[in-house]
Amino acid sequence: MVSIALDSGGADAAGPWIDRAKTTHPALIDESHVLDELLGVVNVPTGIWVDERGVIVRPPEPAFPWRPRAPSEELLAALPAITAEQLREAQKIRIDPDRYTAALRDWVAHGARSRYALSPDEVLARSRPRDMDHSRAAACFELAQHLQRAGNGEDAVSWFRQAHALAPENWTYKRQAWSLADPLQGPTNAYDSDWLEEVRRIGAENYYPPLEL
């Protein structure tokens, strides 16, 4: 098991979450979002199964290990209003942790004999194609990150916006940009929408694609 945080803020942004989780497995941080560019990750948490030969046997898919506990009204009342509304909306998101973890354990136990391990042809069929718009989106996102790291955050915004327009289904692009403008991913003048508005627009039940096991 290896976990990889996708965050251009690096250890300052992702490190406290890793420390709080007290992980016993390797926990890496991908500041440049190389993983999503190479493998087509568009949201988190996402799981990718790789066998002992280094062959992908399941491409990126929603990977919840458990169902998050519903926040209490007492907790919600103590949070910023935008965070409380985000948590309420997140409770409506469709996830399937029981089926996913059962499939994962089956693969760990049976390897290539597991019915959940896909053939190379099946992996390719499920993988996202990279057309010109998605290639341009990746380039825009990479340029935006470069400008952000160089201290030119205002110049980065227009490139983040172009990445969002070219790949609207890519939540990693959106969430990274929103969090740089506002750590709570709330409304700002930099972008036309925010996490809560976007989730309500598409419907929380559509935030992740259905798990195809």
Side-chain angles (χ1 to χ4, degrees):
M1 178 76 72
V2 178
S3 63
I4 304 174
L6 306 176
D7 201 314
S8 61
D12 290 341
W17 296 96
I18 295 172
D19 293 340
R20 188 172 181 180
K22 295 182 171 60
T23 60
T24 57
H25 60 265
L28 311 180
I29 302 173
D30 182 357
E31 294 186 37
S32 300
H33 287 254
V34 173
L35 186 73
D36 26 334
E37 181 179 343
L38 291 176
L39 298 180
V41 175
V42 298
N43 209 341
V44 294
T46 284
I48 302 165
W49 298 7
V50 183
D51 69 14
E52 294 86 348
R53 300 170 298 161
V55 176
I56 295 173
V57 297
R58 289 193 74 87
E61 61 190 345
F64 269 89
W66 62 81
R67 189 172 298 278
R69 184 172 55 187
S72 66
E73 288 302 318
E74 182 181 7
L75 172 62
L76 293 173
L79 294 172
I82 184 66
T83 304
E85 285 302 306
Q86 289 168 342
L87 286 174
R88 288 190 179 96
E89 197 67 26
Q91 294 301 304
K92 306 172 188 176
I93 292 175
R94 177 183 54 201
I95 59 175
D96 204 349
D98 295 337
R99 289 178 63 229
Y100 182 79
T101 53
L104 180 58
R105 290 190 176 102
D106 186 88
W107 177 57
V108 170
H110 301 107
R113 299 189 309 277
S114 170
R115 65 191 181 95
Y116 302 107
L118 303 178
S119 70
D121 286 341
E122 289 173 312
V123 170
L124 286 175
R126 292 193 182 195
S127 298
R128 294 176 177 272
R130 176 61 65 86
D131 58 20
M132 183 57 69
D133 279 350
H134 286 83
S135 296
R136 289 175 59 203
C140 290
F141 185 73
E142 187 170 343
L143 180 54
Q145 289 187 97
H146 170 75
L147 291 168
Q148 185 73 37
R149 286 192 293 267
N152 301 312
E154 291 185 6
D155 295 333
V157 168
S158 65
W159 293 102
F160 277 131
R161 291 172 68 102
Q162 287 191 57
H164 299 171
L166 290 164
E169 78 289 351
N170 194 314
W171 287 89
T172 59
Y173 288 174
K174 294 177 181 178
R175 294 180 65 177
Q176 183 65 85
W178 290 334
S179 65
L180 290 170
D182 173 16
L184 299 181
Q185 298 184 44
T188 66
N189 293 329
Y191 300 101
D192 297 330
S193 63
D194 58 88
W195 187 88
L196 185 59
E197 180 181 336
E198 284 284 299
V199 172
R200 285 174 170 169
R201 182 181 63 80
I202 66 167
E205 68 279 5
N206 300 313
Y207 187 62
Y208 295 112
L211 191 60
E212 297 182 40
L213 293 174

